[in-house]
Amino acid sequence: MTVSTTSFTDLTDPGLHATGDPHAVWRWMRAEAPVCWHPPAEMPGFWSLTRHEDVRAVYRDPATFSSARGVLLRPVRLGDDPGGGLTLALSDPPRHKRLRSLMAEWFSTRGVRRLEEYIRSATSAVLARAAETGECDFVHDVAGRLSISVICHIIGVPAEDHEDLFRWTNEAFEAHTSLAAHQRFMAYFIDLMDRREAEPADDLMSALVHGEVDGEPLTEEEILLNCENLVGATENGRLALAGGMLAFLEHPDQWRLLRENRELLPGAGEEILRWTSSATHSMRTATRHTVVRGQEIRAGDRVVLWLPSANRDENVFAEPYRFDITRTPNRHIALAAGEHVCIGGTLARAEMRILFSEILDTVRGIEQTGPAVRLRSIAVTGAQSIPVRIAAR
Ligand code: HEM
């Protein structure tokens, strides 16, 4: 028998994620309907997978579960994602691997180590600015400004333009529209692309402009959409940084533990990734007939992987609803797995480590001055705003 979601709360309703309890729905689905059909409505029909084991298996089988028609649910009226086959996230092997290798160096352990000094100085500047204003929004003024500044630096956006990029990105995020539809944002990247074409520099834009995949240079559309994707992907970074702060504000015992044991920082980063699970879902399209947990999936069917659910799977995590920075092992899947595992993972971890150690070193206290507001989105999960007062030492 196929279990369908029509009988209970709709996971594609952004309101559920803003003010409801999606974890209650996922908990029920993991137990009762781990492979669950969601009939077509505003969104196309899709299969929901909620267990860690199933989510991981789908990520690790890109030949059966393709990314090329899009990796996020979109209303039927919008059709397939126009970036299909063009961006890293929306490419299948073998092209995916070659495209990824053009960018990989910037996000590798060595690449991120080269960036650490920049991340540290950007972090202390952002924190000093937030402390100066007294009351601020941690999501926008700290996590958002820092994430954008770092990706801009990697792509090669000059420092004096970071604030413009930050503003345009926020406008697009707040309107829940794609950055590709933001004219000033795209015009800026067309201009930067032309400048790097004429005069290469040591940055990611130059690597994309002058690099080749299968002996062919990337088209302008591919370069622009990949830059747009990288900047857009930092929304996840900002949500993890801000969600980590909120978790510490809500669990002061864990903050005290970290303050007294700095060696817990890397493990705290992993627990923040698990706890925040800021990417709410990944979508795949079956390329052939297959079976998941006894349920037949036909070629062309969409399959949606719910990451916050996989990261609360009681078969994998002891006390999954507890925020515990000493959790070991911590086999979370917040950054996906397999070929499409998040390319920004090492960077996101470094940003977290540096932000929280700078806060421990330079901030006297952070006080939450009002309730956090959750995002209305089915693509990303987390706080839209967290009002705080930051007191410098
Ligand atoms: C903690 C924050 C982050 C989380 C939770 C996260 C999560 C994810 C997930 C789940 C995917 C897989 C998407 C899919 O294939 O369906 C992914 C891929 C990706 N992420 Fe992240 N991400 C984070 C930070 C970042 C950052 C900071 C960047 C870049 C600056 C980034 C860039 C990318 C890119 C380009 C891909 C596509 C990789 C590929 O397809 O090969 N992410 N991320």
Side-chain angles (χ1 to χ4, degrees):
M1 186 190 78
T2 300
V3 179
S4 141
T5 55
T6 43
S7 51
F8 62 94
T9 316
D10 180 5
L11 279 171
T12 66
D13 171 11
L16 170 70
H17 300 269
T19 53
D21 184 4
H23 279 291
V25 181
W26 287 319
R27 189 162 52 232
W28 182 87
M29 287 168 81
R30 284 195 302 277
E32 305 295 337
V35 184
C36 183
W37 176 246
H38 192 113
E42 192 195 348
M43 298 291 175
F46 62 89
W47 294 100
S48 268
L49 302 191
T50 43
R51 287 197 189 167
H52 188 281
E53 187 186 348
D54 300 338
V55 167
R56 190 162 181 278
V58 167
Y59 272 135
R60 297 182 79 88
D61 186 0
T64 309
F65 298 102
S66 163
S67 295
R69 286 178 64 187
V71 295
L72 290 175
L73 277 167
R74 288 161 62 85
V76 179
R77 67 188 152 78
L78 296 182
D80 284 345
D81 195 315
L86 300 177
T87 64
L88 185 62
L90 272 57
S91 304
D92 286 335
R95 184 179 165 79
H96 169 261
K97 195 171 186 171
R98 299 185 192 130
L99 185 54
R100 188 159 166 135
S101 67
L102 269 190
M103 311 180 200
E105 170 60 20
W106 293 90
F107 298 99
S108 65
T109 309
R110 202 176 58 159
V112 172
R113 208 174 292 133
R114 276 209 299 157
L115 286 170
E116 282 211 3
E117 208 180 304
Y118 179 81
I119 302 176
R120 204 169 288 282
S121 71
T123 306
S124 68
V126 159
L127 280 174
R129 182 173 170 164
E132 234 174 70
T133 56
E135 216 157 300
C136 67
D137 172 9
F138 197 90
V139 181
H140 178 273
D141 298 314
V142 179
R145 184 167 273 124
L146 175 61
S147 309
I148 289 295
S149 163
V150 174
I151 195 65
C152 282
H153 179 77
I154 294 174
I155 294 177
V157 174
E160 62 271 20
D161 298 337
H162 287 192
E163 217 36 47
D164 281 343
L165 269 291
F166 181 47
R167 201 172 54 253
W168 299 333
T169 311
N170 286 328
E171 283 166 8
F173 288 171
E174 276 157 25
H176 296 288
T177 53
S178 115
L179 281 169
H182 199 296
Q183 286 182 357
R184 274 178 301 175
F185 179 91
M186 292 312 269
Y188 184 90
F189 276 104
I190 291 171
D191 180 56
L192 184 65
M193 183 171 66
D194 291 345
R195 280 188 276 154
R196 292 303 187 265
E197 169 93 68
E199 207 173 318
D202 182 18
D203 55 36
L204 181 55
M205 178 62 96
S206 303
L208 291 174
V209 170
H210 296 278
E212 291 183 347
V213 173
D214 299 330
E216 294 284 334
L218 299 183
T219 63
E220 292 191 354
E221 190 185 15
E222 285 172 320
I223 296 169
L224 290 172
L225 286 179
N226 276 294
C227 288
E228 182 248 340
N229 252 227
L230 285 168
V231 177
T234 63
E235 188 172 18
N236 267 309
R238 95 161 56 183
L239 293 173
L241 294 172
M245 191 67 244
L246 186 62
F248 283 125
L249 288 165
E250 289 173 347
H251 301 84
D253 59 313
Q254 297 295 301
W255 183 245
R256 261 193 312 277
L257 191 61
L258 182 63
R259 197 169 46 211
E260 285 154 20
N261 305 274
R262 293 291 183 98
E263 72 282 4
L264 294 177
L265 256 175
E270 297 312 304
E271 181 65 346
I272 289 169
L273 287 171
R274 184 189 79 87
W275 186 252
T276 54
S277 273
S278 63
T280 316
H281 76 269
S282 284
M283 187 180 78
R284 296 294 188 260
T285 306
T287 57
R288 53 193 177 215
H289 175 270
T290 185
V291 176
V292 177
R293 221 171 262 285
Q295 175 63 56
E296 295 202 16
I297 309 257
R298 288 165 310 171
D301 280 1
R302 291 176 177 79
V303 176
V304 168
L305 318 173
W306 297 102
L307 299 177
S309 172
N311 283 333
R312 297 288 188 281
D313 188 332
E314 31 297 277
N315 286 323
V316 176
F317 303 100
E319 295 190 80
Y321 296 93
R322 200 172 133 213
F323 178 64
D324 174 7
I325 63 167
T326 65
R327 182 181 293 278
T328 39
N330 190 343
R331 295 174 47 224
H332 72 78
I333 202 162
L335 302 170
E339 310 249 347
H340 285 278
V341 68
C342 175
I343 200 171
T346 307
L347 178 65
R349 288 177 168 109
E351 287 179 10
M352 269 191 287
R353 184 167 38 76
I354 292 170
L355 175 64
F356 291 115
S357 63
E358 282 288 312
I359 291 177
L360 286 166
D361 287 339
T362 64
V363 167
R364 186 153 43 86
I366 300 191
E367 180 198 346
Q368 193 175 340
T369 54
V373 175
R374 277 153 64 191
L375 277 165
R376 254 185 105 74
S377 164
I378 64 163
V380 281
T381 292
Q384 181 181 312
S385 61
I386 311 172
V388 293
R389 190 173 300 118
I390 299 182
R393 267 192 213 281

